[in-house]
Amino acid sequence: MLISIKDLGRNLSPFPRPIVNGNLTTSGIYSFIRHPMYYSLILISFGFFITKLSFYYLFLTISLALIIKLKIILEEKYLNKKFKNYFIYTDKVKY
């Protein structure tokens, strides 16, 4: 997660819509995975579930994964509109 924050730099935003003067980040960890910060959050949540082995944490992990999946779908729509070369990036970096 920390690497993805560093690689995003000034492009980091909590919202799915890219920042106005932002650039498309395709280097660093983003050359291997399109949404490393989101996937790391799911992995951390799964780790909590494994340590607690509780239905409550399983529910939270599944809920987080679904919310993040919806955010990814929305974010990719915005990225496709803003960056004309985003489809090339998605062909090269599948996940």
Side-chain angles (χ1 to χ4, degrees):
M1 182 182 299
L2 296 176
I3 293 169
S4 63
I5 291 170
K6 179 191 76 65
D7 287 348
L8 272 179
R10 294 183 305 129
N11 296 310
L12 182 63
S13 170
F15 305 108
R17 190 172 296 213
I19 61 173
V20 175
N21 295 324
N23 299 315
L24 180 62
T25 303
T26 60
S27 59
I29 197 164
Y30 289 88
S31 64
F32 302 104
I33 186 168
R34 288 200 312 251
H35 303 284
M37 193 177 319
Y38 297 148
Y39 293 129
S40 64
L41 282 173
I42 294 170
L43 191 60
I44 290 167
S45 180
F46 185 72
F48 276 108
F49 163 67
I50 292 298
T51 61
K52 303 295 183 184
L53 289 177
S54 143
F55 283 114
Y56 175 72
Y57 284 96
L58 176 61
F59 173 76
L60 289 178
T61 299
I62 291 171
S63 297
L64 179 66
L66 291 173
I67 290 167
I68 286 175
K69 180 62 177 171
L70 292 173
K71 186 175 180 187
I72 286 172
I73 290 168
L74 182 60
E75 184 174 294
E76 290 203 335
K77 285 180 185 179
Y78 288 131
L79 290 169
N80 256 327
K81 285 181 185 176
K82 180 167 181 157
F83 302 108
K84 301 303 177 201
N85 59 342
Y86 188 72
F87 74 95
I88 296 170
Y89 173 64
T90 59
D91 279 346
K92 199 164 48 167
V93 180
K94 294 295 179 189
Y95 300 103

